[in-house]
Amino acid sequence: MVQIVISSGGAGGLAQWVLVELQGEVEPRQSGELAGSLLGDLHYTREGVPVLIVGHHILYGKTVQLEKPFAVLVKRGAGEPSPAGPHACYTVTALIKTKLLFKTRPKPIITNVPKKV
């Protein structure tokens, strides 16, 4: 299972992020990292169904509300030392309340099929 986080506009000073969950593995074409690279295009149908296009494949998913939201934390260096030892300060930068679940196998996109004569 692969989980990817994407950002969307939020209210109240905190960004609202959406978790994207894919079944299987995502491998880059060239040997390297996936971090910071473009995975595909995310669209929504008129009915609100998320559609992910990755290369020549299309995936249909569904939007799921998380039972317990996640908080995205950023470490802000060490705070004041205490008798128990040094501790770090964290700042909440975003909340993740929903996820897009893509649990079906990707379908190939075929635009033009030549007819046999």
Side-chain angles (χ1 to χ4, degrees):
M1 174 180 3
V2 178
Q3 293 184 343
I4 303 166
V5 177
I6 59 175
S7 178
S8 65
L14 290 177
Q16 287 288 106
W17 286 14
V18 179
L19 184 71
V20 177
E21 185 173 322
L22 305 170
Q23 300 297 322
E25 294 182 32
V26 177
E27 295 180 4
R29 288 186 179 184
Q30 298 83 14
S31 60
E33 294 286 325
L34 279 175
S37 62
L38 180 67
L39 175 67
D41 295 325
L42 179 64
H43 302 277
Y44 288 89
T45 63
R46 290 189 178 119
E47 294 80 25
V49 176
V51 177
L52 182 63
I53 300 172
V54 180
H56 296 291
H57 294 87
I58 188 167
L59 294 106
Y60 294 96
K62 65 179 181 177
T63 304
V64 178
Q65 296 295 323
L66 296 174
E67 287 184 24
K68 295 183 181 181
F70 293 118
V72 179
L73 305 175
V74 174
K75 190 173 183 178
R76 297 286 183 201
E80 296 181 16
S82 65
H87 62 280
C89 295
Y90 295 91
T91 304
V92 177
T93 58
L95 294 176
I96 303 174
K97 296 181 180 180
T98 59
K99 76 175 176 181
L100 303 178
L101 178 61
F102 296 93
K103 62 180 181 178
T104 59
R105 295 182 63 86
K107 297 175 181 158
I109 299 173
I110 302 172
T111 57
N112 186 11
V113 178
K115 295 182 180 179
K116 291 187 177 182
V117 179

